[in-house]
Amino acid sequence: MVSVRNPPRNVCVIGAGPSGLVAARELKKEGQKVVVLEQNHDVGGQWLYDPKVEGQDPLGKDTTGTGLTIHSSVYDSLRLTSPREIMGFTDFPFLIKKGRDTRRFPGHKELFLYLKDFCEWFGLREMIRFNTKVDYVGILDYGAFGEELKWVVKSKVKDSDEEISEVFDAVVVATGHYSYPRLPSIKGMDAWRRKQMHSHLYRVPEPFRDQVVVVVGNSLSGQDISMELVNVAKEIHRSSKSLNVSEGLSKVISKHDNLYLHPTIQCLHEDGRVVFVDGSWLTADTIIYCTGYSYSFPFLDTKGAVAVDDDRVGPLYEHTFPPNLAPSLSFIGIPRKIIGFPFFESQAKWIAQLLSGKRSLPSRDEMMKSIQEFYKSREAAGIPKHYTHDIADFEYCDKYGDYVGFPHLEEWRKDLCLSALINSDVNLETYRDSYDDEELLQVAHQSPHFTQLEAEAFSTTSL
């Protein structure tokens, strides 16, 4: 039974990845008229693997100002860094299925198939327009405190020059945050004549066979790519700001005599030399920047109401609502370092219930005050601006859920998350296949999250 206080709104969701799909599901529950615009040929967003990276700018630069043509940063061998048990939406567990990848830390295709299953189970595909790229989102009419705003959305279907212009009552931006490469600023970077690329466009190791490769950054992708390349490249040189070596990384280094650690790069020379801040240097064939991603919304025109400043998207109340434009404009999936899917679900519920009139936001001034207090607290804690949306706090996720009556993260979900993090720190190469959390796993599988649906409905194997 759908309970709607406001008349149904016409809502545009941009993106059919995890956050866009759950937004569509929650908006549909609340009786809204939903259109999802997705630039690719299928659902999945980041998890829709795209092996064809030829012809792209290797550093992933947006040379046209209209967005990148390759959305996914997933490489061929990528496996989840979190166990599947904690990944699922609250009412749709990420179960093992016959004939599929049954590992606890499966490859990227398994998560893509989970999202396809989610889409089919909740009847979302009929709302999605595929191969449709959003070029412009802007304000049509100014109303009082965001309530009566309308939005013009201009889009183009792939291989068509015809621009489609539509008007919506609300727009939900769900375009992800792993598509626009964040690059370091290194002296000589523009003059260096050998191959430089961002990990956004890394797919397979073979092109780097017998090369001397420098991998910049200490990210998860940097670790995975280094461990994959060490078996085909001549030498792998990892460069990062932090020289803290985890037990797991130490084990990896001791196994491979062609893997080296370095501090940050001081400068690059045209002849291929890479000079580090400690004075050491080497001649490299390729540099791969595993230096993370920036937020970018090239289609969005809010007349300055929302801006991206050093990876701070703001001002946003609770990382979701711009005070001057909410609830007619909202963002899902901005926060990082969280258990993503349940958090996106809580965001989606809040947005959907605001638009239906079941809930209301604080005043604009109260929201702005809350945002400023949050910024000050981060500053006082010495957290750089570009980590504004890095949460890493279960308590925050639970507090967020309280705004909309969303259940707190189960203790087993938190425990399994922490257990995987600890294991990866100690056993970097093997943590996805060797673990010691069977008791936690048993608790998880006996919880309502896993027993709520008939196993037959998903054609699963017994767990």
Side-chain angles (χ1 to χ4, degrees), residues 289-305:
Y289 297 102
C290 300
T291 45
Y293 296 86
S294 295
Y295 297 94
S296 183
F297 311 99
F299 54 84
L300 187 59
D301 178 11
T302 62
K303 309 297 182 198

Side-chain angles (χ1 to χ4, degrees), residues 226-242:
S226 295
M227 288 190 294
E228 179 166 74
L229 288 177
V230 81
N231 297 310
V232 298
K234 182 181 178 183
E235 296 173 6
I236 299 295
H237 296 267
R238 289 195 53 189
S239 164
S240 66
K241 290 176 186 173
S242 170

Side-chain angles (χ1 to χ4, degrees), residues 7-26:
R9 309 280 185 98
N10 290 305
V11 185
C12 177
V13 176
I14 304 174
S19 51
L21 290 175
V22 77
R25 197 271 301 267
E26 293 302 325

Side-chain angles (χ1 to χ4, degrees), residues 9 145-147 170-171 321-322 325-330 351 354-355 361:
R9 309 280 185 98
F145 185 45
E147 288 295 337
V171 172
F321 304 104
L325 302 173
S328 74
L329 179 67
S330 56
I351 292 163
L354 284 166
L355 291 174
L361 285 167

Side-chain angles (χ1 to χ4, degrees), residues 42 100 134 143 173 175 265 309 317 458:
D42 208 340
R100 298 232 298 240
V134 174
V173 179
T175 51
I265 296 172
D309 175 19
Y317 177 62
F458 292 100

Side-chain angles (χ1 to χ4, degrees), residues 278-298:
D278 62 358
S280 64
W281 64 274
L282 58 92
T283 300
D285 298 298
T286 299
I287 300 174
I288 304 176
Y289 297 102
C290 300
T291 45
Y293 296 86
S294 295
Y295 297 94
S296 183
F297 311 99

Side-chain angles (χ1 to χ4, degrees), residues 5-6 25 30 43 64 69 141 202 247 313 320 329 370 396 421 445:
R5 296 179 188 175
N6 290 335
R25 197 271 301 267
E30 290 295 323
V43 300
T64 63
T69 54
D141 298 316
Y202 175 86
E247 185 181 339
V313 185
T320 311
L329 179 67
S370 170
Y396 175 80
L421 286 171
H445 285 153

Side-chain angles (χ1 to χ4, degrees), residues 71-95:
H71 180 75
S72 176
S73 298
V74 165
Y75 40 94
D76 186 50
S77 66
L78 184 142
R79 290 175 64 185
L80 302 189
T81 56
S82 299
R84 68 192 303 146
E85 298 83 23
I86 74 170
M87 296 284 290
F89 294 114
T90 60
D91 56 357
F92 197 76
F94 189 5
L95 298 173

